[in-house]
Amino acid sequence: MSDPLLQINNVSRLFGGGRNLFGKPAPAVHAVQNVSISVRKGETLGIVGESGCGKSTLARLIVGLDLPSEGKIAFAGEDLAAAVKKDHRNVARKLQYVFQDPVASLNPRKSIRTILQAPLIHLLNLDKKKRQLRLVELMEAVNLAPEFLDRYPHEFSGGQAQRIGIARALAADPDLIVLDEPVSALDVSVQAQVLNILDDLKQKFGLTYIFISHDLSVVESISDRVAVMYFGHMVELGDASDIFARAVHPYTNLLLKSAPVPGRKSLLPEDANTELPDPYNPPQGCPFYARCPRRLEMCKNQLPKLDAAGKKADHLSACFNPEIKG
């Protein structure tokens, strides 16, 4: 098997900390805690979890918009932090980001032509003639008419604006694109259109995706593998088909049971304990302990490692008492 395109090793991100003006310890938020994962070239890795679980922080770390407090991220075999310091433009060319809010992510004062030309000029150094050809290619790739290039972001619907955001990411000719909740602000019918475009672009340009979402149905439809995060930790990782058919971590099963299904009553009790741990004072043991129906005494004081669960070596779970299914 070839080397992974992206390798994340024991990465943590701490916000705050240190000392305040009076010399007392300042509070710190543990946004991402000891996450390790590899992403293969050409795959789509879905990352799911509740709001505040660390998905977007991890996304920012992956593209170099933020740096880890601990651990290392390697892209194409090169340390990402060192690569950003050495040549941030080259990193920006290889790693691109699609934002959650399609309209807010586009500069309202600039035309679509100016927005899409920026990476062609600053990252690819294309001359005027090649830029024009590339602009037409980009617009056609996301099913928009080239005539729209001289319009402004406010003239587009949310779905069209997100397609422009995808075209902007594609303009740099990247190897990997991080999509942070790219369809959550769109209507369901528009979501399907954008997802189909993403699938076509992946096949056409040989892209690798990291797809972040809280919508399980979207993640299931687009992902090859799925990573589940809770309170900054990665608690389950495996092929998408295995995760959705045979989830073993109690938190993953809670997410699946919580997903709304027309005509089905909630499978969770109304008085279910949904209190999250204190981010300023993370628990010593499993962060899901207080909410877990399968908790053991050891879970209170020991943090489970991400290990193989059941018969599949590539299906990992951070749980001392996983729900092993046949």
Side-chain angles (χ1 to χ4, degrees):
M1 184 179 293
S2 60
D3 294 334
L5 180 65
L6 180 76
Q7 183 69 51
I8 302 172
N9 291 319
N10 301 316
V11 163
S12 297
R13 183 64 175 101
L14 188 72
F15 292 101
R19 300 273 176 179
N20 61 22
L21 292 174
F22 302 100
K24 295 182 179 180
V29 175
H30 299 74
V32 173
Q33 302 185 59
N34 200 35
V35 168
S36 295
I37 191 171
S38 61
V39 181
R40 299 183 290 267
K41 182 175 177 57
E43 79 167 330
T44 297
L45 173 70
I47 301 180
V48 299
E50 295 170 312
S51 297
C53 72
K55 305 187 301 293
S56 292
T57 299
L58 182 60
R60 291 175 60 83
L61 294 173
I62 289 170
V63 296
L65 292 175
D66 199 359
L67 296 177
S69 303
E70 297 177 6
K72 289 186 177 182
I73 299 176
F75 181 77
E78 185 177 5
D79 180 71
L80 185 61
V84 169
K85 188 175 181 180
K86 178 182 177 182
D87 186 356
H88 68 277
R89 289 189 179 186
N90 189 46
V91 173
R93 190 194 68 76
K94 295 179 179 179
L95 294 163
Q96 282 290 309
Y97 199 107
V98 174
F99 298 89
Q100 177 176 356
D101 190 329
V103 177
S105 68
L106 302 174
N107 191 328
R109 297 178 179 272
K110 295 184 177 181
S111 68
I112 303 309
R113 180 184 301 277
T114 304
I115 290 171
L116 295 184
Q117 274 191 145
L120 302 180
I121 295 171
H122 301 294
L123 299 180
L124 299 183
N125 299 315
L126 298 185
D127 60 35
K128 187 174 181 179
K129 184 177 180 180
K130 289 183 178 179
R131 287 202 303 269
Q132 181 58 33
L133 292 173
R134 181 64 171 161
L135 287 172
V136 172
E137 181 186 12
L138 289 170
M139 293 296 280
E140 291 177 346
V142 295
N143 293 343
L144 289 175
E147 291 77 19
F148 290 172
L149 282 167
D150 294 312
R151 296 186 183 181
Y152 287 80
H154 71 272
E155 300 181 72
F156 295 92
S157 67
Q160 291 173 324
Q162 191 59 290
R163 282 187 266 169
I164 293 167
I166 294 168
R168 178 178 58 184
L170 197 64
D173 195 22
D175 296 321
L176 184 148
I177 299 179
V178 174
L179 303 121
D180 189 1
E181 301 274 9
V183 297
S184 63
L186 308 178
D187 293 336
V188 174
S189 59
V190 180
Q191 286 184 8
Q193 296 172 17
V194 172
L195 292 175
N196 287 335
I197 288 172
L198 287 172
D199 187 55
D200 291 342
L201 294 176
K202 179 184 175 183
Q203 305 304 324
K204 183 177 180 180
F205 296 103
L207 298 170
T208 302
Y209 290 151
I210 293 179
F211 192 98
I212 295 171
S213 180
H214 65 276
D215 190 325
L216 296 174
S217 61
V218 170
V219 171
E220 182 179 15
S221 68
I222 198 170
S223 302
D224 299 309
R225 286 191 302 152
V226 173
V228 182
M229 290 189 68
Y230 181 76
F231 197 64
H233 296 270
M234 191 167 293
V235 297
E236 188 161 359
L237 172 66
D239 290 341
S241 57
D242 286 336
I243 294 291
F244 285 93
R246 292 174 290 277
V248 296
H249 196 284
Y251 174 63
T252 308
N253 279 290
L254 174 67
L255 285 180
L256 294 172
K257 291 176 182 177
S258 301
V261 176
R264 188 189 74 181
K265 293 184 178 180
S266 173
L267 299 179
L268 301 175
E270 300 249 345
D271 60 347
N273 183 2
T274 57
E275 177 119 11
L276 295 173
D278 183 356
Y280 291 106
N281 185 28
Q284 181 179 358
C286 177
F288 193 60
Y289 175 81
R291 303 171 66 184
C292 184
R294 299 176 61 84
R295 61 184 180 231
L296 305 173
E297 186 61 31
M298 64 187 299
C299 303
K300 189 174 183 179
N301 300 308
Q302 297 182 44
L303 182 65
K305 296 181 180 179
L306 197 64
D307 294 319
K311 298 179 181 180
K312 287 207 165 190
D314 57 353
H315 189 162
L316 309 179
S317 173
C319 184
F320 292 124
N321 189 25
E323 300 183 33
I324 305 299
K325 302 170 185 177

